[in-house]
Amino acid sequence: MFQPNMFDSHHHLLDITGARSSESEVLKMREIEDFETKSGTETMEPDPSGDDVQDPNNDDNSNNNGQRQKRKRYHRHTQRQIQELEAFFKESPHPDDKQRKELSRELGLEPLQVKFWFQNKRTQMKAQHERHENAILKAENEKLRAENMRYREALSTATCPNCGGPAALGEMSFDEQHLRIENARLKEEIDRISVIASKYVGKPLASNYPHLPPHMSSRSPDQFPAQSGLVGEMYGGIDLRRSVSMPSEADKPLIVELAVAAMEELIRMAQGGEPLWIPAGSGQPSEILNEDEYFRIFPRGIGPKPFGFKSEASRESAVVIMNHINLVEILMDEHQWSGVFCGIVSRAMTIEVLSTGVAGNYNGALQVMTAEFQVPSPLVPSRENYFVRYCKQHGDGTWAVVDVSLDNIRGNPILRSRRRPSGCLIQELPNGYSKVTWVEHVEVDDRAVHSIYRPLVNCGLAFGAKRWVATLDRQCERLASSMANNIPSGDLLITSPEGRRSMLKLAERMVLSFCSGVGASTAHAWTTLSAAGSDNNVRVMTRKSMDEPGRPPGIVLSAATSFWLPVPPKRVFDFLRDENSRNEWDILSNGGQVQEMAHIANGRDPGNSVSLLRVNNANSSQSNMLILQESCTDSVGAYVIYAPVDIVAMNVVLNGGDPDYVALLPSGFAILPDGPEFGGGGGILEIGSGGSLLTVAFQILVDTVPSAKLSLGSVATVNNLIKCTVERIKASVSCDNP
């Protein structure tokens, strides 16, 4: 509840204390409204005699204590004074002493009167803003309550798809489970909004939203006969979705000022040495930021670190095979940026372009963006940031691109991560090369990270500069390879540069599709299927595809799980990408031999390649099955991604045709180290000692009719498929591991 400021009467201060402690809440609100609607400042001055306040318990005429009640005189400002003060308030709500004295001389007021007018005006504006925010929160609460009621009605009127009668408990299957999970998510959202709203209204809001019937909310797992032992929970879906709004005109000067300061900080962070950056010990990143020195050099920034947040700061350099102009264009174009870094950036959007740059390039370009950063596993929550990106040329062939969060300007109530000045310095080198120095500095609440991924996140490899630079280096090599016109001798399928480029373009779309659906993005509603007695939880989600180019129509079920292997990442990568060992883990190949029909190298490492595989199966109906596969690896992680392709469509691609309409459902593996690199010998006995974190993800078309209902049997089939694959991989790599 807003209360007006109380001031000492000996300093001619504002006194609006008409409400006594015994008055009701309604009377207080009326007094506040009356205070906010006054056009001027009411000041109280003591009687010139200087006498003190008379004791109210004594008679009015008695003067035994030598005190008399002081008289109050209220001075209302003139219309001109109010207009001048209002105009100055729009320009500067916080005038300094010099400005207040100048205003008082111009308006014929005391400096103290000007000071209190501005204090009251700021308090009034704050109260109006809080009431507006409260109204928005109440409206959102009502919306969620109505939506919750619709789900309840849908459950009460559900019918059996076979007979048309009322659905029994055992017939609701996967659809009912989704409704139950959605109801729990809405309850979480309403509770969180109520907590936020209570800060403004002074008391908690009533949470009288409807609940599922007790017999449904307490439904046990054994009531799913086809999948005994499965329970479901929503993963990553309980977050409040932040409304992305364009910055106001009043915010834009602040954004520009913040971007300029962030650029200066990035340059010093990229070029500085000790004591700002100090060498790290064994098993740590190459450098560690000295936080005490950082805050001494940059005392302002975006404010102190939020409570409960952890700092992650890293720096990495590399020489990449791309000129500086193309690198800047990739970083400033949201589509190219999210495509090149698809394993890190799950979603990106430009909210508003404040400046397009000068002289026909990106020098001085400034744009407000939002993006979501991920690790390729549903066990690591994604990090969503709202930030400004600023590009500037600092000399011939030297550019810098910096990001810095704007959450302190927008006021995000559910802040979970924010970016301090982060980005890269790009220096031109001869022969089309560039040197990139990347700085990544974030503050994050990472308590929701799964335990097996915590060493990887803590050492800075999950979201740090080394992963950004390694990904950029690998993608630059891939781009250079795609532009080559040479055709390897002996390749009978790829006979033209056009066919080579079409196959690489198809593989690129396959990788983008895989990476966009394997992480814990808030755009995904993952459901956990945890089997009793198993440590590996499989997360599933469904998607209906209708008339989408490049996707088969129908219901697609995505399933993913992550687990630890006591085997080095390189050994896991070599095993999974080798066509000769594919029949050891690929259940769908039915034990058939796999032959490589075409091969395109797209990097220095022999593991970076695109292949076309054929499964030679004894079953004649599957003898013509083709598999498009891309494998890629760098110093931080690796991928093996594949998708079945139609032989007729693939012939069109190999002849240089358009690959955008080839239907793909990519599946595959994401391989990460389980922590920092260890140079010493010894066995891999625990997480963080040199093993691998493997994510297995499948996409299966379970029904070709988009309007069909997903049955629990389909979920059980995909669940068993992914678990059998995991068991086969564990058995195979454990046998190979000495």
Side-chain angles (χ1 to χ4, degrees):
M1 180 63 65
F2 161 75
Q3 293 286 351
N5 293 328
M6 307 292 295
F7 302 99
D8 189 348
S9 62
H10 291 286
H11 295 284
H12 304 275
L13 306 184
L14 181 66
D15 184 7
I16 314 178
T17 59
R20 298 179 181 177
S21 58
S22 61
E23 290 179 326
S24 66
E25 192 76 17
V26 176
L27 292 177
K28 291 182 181 180
M29 291 299 296
R30 288 177 179 173
E31 289 180 3
I32 294 171
E33 291 295 331
D34 180 63
F35 162 72
E36 293 173 351
T37 54
K38 291 179 180 178
S39 60
T41 302
E42 296 181 353
T43 61
M44 181 194 73
E45 295 185 355
D47 189 271
S49 64
D51 291 334
D52 296 326
V53 180
Q54 182 179 0
D55 187 351
N57 296 322
N58 295 339
D59 188 80
D60 292 340
N61 297 323
S62 65
N63 193 21
N64 296 332
N65 296 333
Q67 296 179 346
R68 292 181 303 176
Q69 188 175 14
K70 71 173 102 174
R71 296 193 300 271
K72 295 181 181 179
R73 293 187 305 182
Y74 293 93
H75 296 282
R76 190 176 296 274
H77 298 327
T78 66
Q79 192 65 28
R80 173 185 168 274
Q81 290 173 335
I82 294 174
Q83 290 176 353
E84 293 291 335
L85 290 170
E86 292 279 1
F88 196 90
F89 183 85
K90 293 180 181 179
E91 298 293 331
S92 176
H94 296 271
D96 54 26
D97 291 338
K98 182 179 179 181
Q99 291 172 319
R100 288 198 298 267
K101 289 179 181 178
E102 186 175 345
L103 269 177
S104 64
R105 286 195 300 269
E106 293 177 357
L107 301 179
L109 298 172
E110 292 294 329
L112 208 56
Q113 289 179 296
V114 175
K115 176 181 177 181
F116 294 147
W117 188 93
F118 275 90
Q119 287 181 348
N120 295 338
K121 185 66 176 179
R122 289 193 297 268
T123 305
Q124 179 184 0
M125 296 300 293
K126 180 181 178 182
Q128 293 175 353
H129 176 72
E130 288 176 346
R131 284 199 302 275
H132 176 69
E133 292 291 329
N134 193 15
I136 295 176
L137 290 171
K138 287 183 177 180
E140 186 69 18
N141 199 355
E142 292 297 329
K143 179 181 177 182
L144 292 172
R145 188 176 301 163
E147 192 173 347
N148 199 353
M149 182 64 74
R150 287 197 298 271
Y151 280 114
R152 185 183 179 188
E153 293 175 355
L155 285 173
S156 63
T157 59
T159 59
C160 175
N162 297 324
C163 65
L169 289 180
E171 297 173 344
M172 288 296 289
S173 183
F174 200 68
D175 292 334
E176 180 192 275
Q177 189 184 24
H178 266 301
L179 290 172
R180 180 163 54 89
I181 293 169
E182 184 68 5
N183 188 78
R185 182 183 70 82
L186 292 171
K187 178 181 179 295
E188 290 281 346
E189 290 184 354
I190 294 174
D191 287 340
R192 188 168 299 185
I193 291 176
S194 298
V195 171
I196 297 172
S198 65
K199 296 179 181 179
Y200 299 112
V201 301
K203 57 183 179 180
L205 298 179
S207 298
N208 56 348
Y209 39 78
H211 296 269
L212 282 175
H215 67 276
M216 297 183 66
S217 61
S218 60
R219 182 175 179 179
S220 60
D222 57 6
Q223 290 177 285
F224 296 106
Q227 190 68 20
S228 178
L230 295 182
V231 294
E233 64 177 359
M234 183 64 66
Y235 182 86
I238 62 173
D239 293 337
L240 287 175
R241 307 301 167 90
R242 300 190 300 181
S243 59
V244 179
S245 58
M246 299 180 67
S248 64
E249 292 298 324
D251 290 338
K252 291 179 181 179
L254 300 176
I255 293 175
V256 173
E257 181 180 354
L258 185 62
V260 172
M263 178 62 71
E264 180 182 353
E265 179 176 325
L266 175 71
I267 298 299
R268 298 179 67 179
M269 291 278 285
Q271 298 176 344
E274 293 190 55
L276 182 61
W277 294 96
I278 56 179
S282 176
Q284 296 293 330
S286 58
E287 295 174 308
I288 296 177
L289 180 67
N290 184 342
E291 289 199 26
D292 292 336
E293 183 69 12
Y294 170 81
F295 284 110
R296 187 191 69 80
I297 299 175
F298 310 107
R300 294 182 62 189
I302 57 175
K305 180 170 59 178
F307 178 76
F309 278 38
K310 187 185 74 172
S311 292
E312 295 179 3
S314 55
R315 182 173 66 172
E316 191 74 20
S317 297
V319 175
V320 299
I321 182 171
M322 181 177 290
N323 68 65
H324 60 292
I325 299 299
N326 290 339
L327 282 175
V328 169
E329 183 178 350
I330 287 174
L331 294 173
M332 298 305 295
D333 185 320
E334 65 179 85
H335 301 293
Q336 295 188 59
W337 177 60
S338 58
V340 169
F341 297 100
C342 60
I344 306 175
V345 182
S346 58
R347 292 186 296 169
M349 180 171 60
T350 299
I351 307 302
E352 183 175 358
V353 177
L354 303 183
S355 173
T356 58
V358 295
N361 56 36
Y362 285 104
N363 183 23
L366 191 70
Q367 54 197 39
V368 178
M369 303 178 65
T370 182
E372 192 175 35
F373 306 100
Q374 68 171 358
V375 168
S377 170
L379 298 184
V380 182
S382 59
R383 300 176 177 182
E384 188 176 357
N385 291 124
Y386 176 73
F387 56 93
V388 60
R389 175 164 292 179
Y390 179 40
C391 177
K392 184 174 177 59
Q393 184 179 10
H394 292 271
D396 292 339
T398 302
W399 292 73
V401 179
V402 65
D403 298 343
V404 62
S405 282
L406 298 176
D407 297 286
N408 56 331
I409 294 178
R410 186 176 62 168
N412 179 16
I414 55 170
L415 181 67
R416 293 181 179 174
S417 70
R418 66 176 188 172
R419 294 174 70 78
R420 287 192 176 271
S422 304
C424 63
L425 188 65
I426 305 169
Q427 296 172 278
E428 181 183 12
L429 296 179
N431 302 321
Y433 284 80
S434 299
K435 180 183 178 182
V436 177
T437 302
W438 202 289
V439 175
E440 197 68 15
H441 191 187
V442 301
E443 293 169 339
V444 62
D445 179 2
D446 64 352
R447 288 172 292 183
V449 175
H450 195 278
S451 59
I452 67 172
Y453 278 87
R454 192 164 293 279
L456 179 71
V457 174
N458 290 343
C459 74
L461 289 179
F463 295 95
K466 186 172 183 178
R467 186 170 174 225
W468 285 93
V469 170
T471 301
L472 178 62
D473 187 24
R474 173 170 53 80
Q475 292 285 45
C476 287
E477 288 185 3
R478 191 187 195 283
L479 182 60
S481 174
S482 67
M483 297 173 65
N485 292 322
N486 59 312
I487 304 298
S489 59
D491 199 325
L492 302 179
L493 292 181
I494 305 176
T495 58
S496 67
E498 292 78 12
R500 186 177 187 274
R501 284 192 289 268
S502 293
M503 183 170 168
L504 285 173
K505 187 177 179 182
L506 181 62
E508 180 183 10
R509 178 161 65 85
M510 176 180 69
V511 172
L512 287 172
S513 177
F514 176 84
C515 291
S516 66
V518 73
S521 169
T522 55
H524 304 152
W526 288 104
T527 300
T528 301
L529 304 177
S530 57
S534 174
D535 294 332
N536 297 326
N537 294 337
V538 178
R539 286 170 167 80
V540 298
M541 66 176 175
T542 59
R543 185 185 71 248
K544 293 183 179 181
S545 176
M546 298 179 63
D547 300 327
E548 296 182 38
R551 295 182 184 272
I555 299 179
V556 176
L557 182 63
S558 300
T561 189
S562 298
F563 57 96
W564 177 72
L565 285 172
V567 182
K570 187 178 187 309
R571 186 168 298 170
V572 178
F573 173 68
D574 291 338
F575 169 76
L576 293 173
R577 75 179 181 89
D578 188 359
E579 71 273 10
N580 295 320
S581 59
R582 189 181 186 95
N583 57 5
E584 296 182 32
W585 58 264
D586 190 0
I587 298 175
L588 299 180
S589 65
N590 293 326
Q593 294 297 319
V594 180
Q595 177 185 2
E596 186 177 57
M597 304 296 295
H599 180 93
I600 302 176
N602 59 1
R604 292 190 303 263
D605 193 294
N608 292 337
S609 64
V610 176
S611 303
L612 186 62
L613 309 176
R614 183 176 68 184
V615 179
N616 297 317
N617 198 297
N619 187 346
S620 59
S621 64
Q622 297 183 3
S623 60
N624 292 327
M625 178 181 177
L626 293 179
I627 297 175
L628 179 67
Q629 174 178 295
E630 174 160 351
S631 59
C632 52
T633 182
D634 53 47
S635 60
V636 178
Y639 294 89
V640 178
I641 304 170
Y642 63 91
V645 290
D646 180 71
I647 189 171
V648 176
M650 201 63 214
N651 281 330
V652 174
V653 173
L654 294 175
N655 289 324
D658 187 1
D660 290 341
Y661 292 93
V662 178
L664 288 176
L665 280 180
S667 301
F669 309 93
I671 309 160
L672 293 171
D674 63 356
E677 299 177 1
F678 285 82
I684 302 173
L685 303 178
E686 60 183 7
I687 297 175
S689 60
S692 303
L693 296 171
L694 180 62
T695 297
V696 183
F698 288 160
Q699 290 192 80
I700 305 294
L701 184 66
V702 296
D703 201 308
T704 57
V705 180
S707 59
K709 289 188 176 182
L710 179 66
S711 66
L712 193 61
S714 300
V715 179
T717 300
V718 175
N719 185 44
N720 291 331
L721 173 65
I722 199 169
K723 290 192 174 183
C724 289
T725 302
V726 169
E727 292 172 1
R728 288 191 176 193
I729 292 174
K730 286 183 176 180
S732 298
V733 298
S734 298
C735 292
D736 295 339
N737 189 33

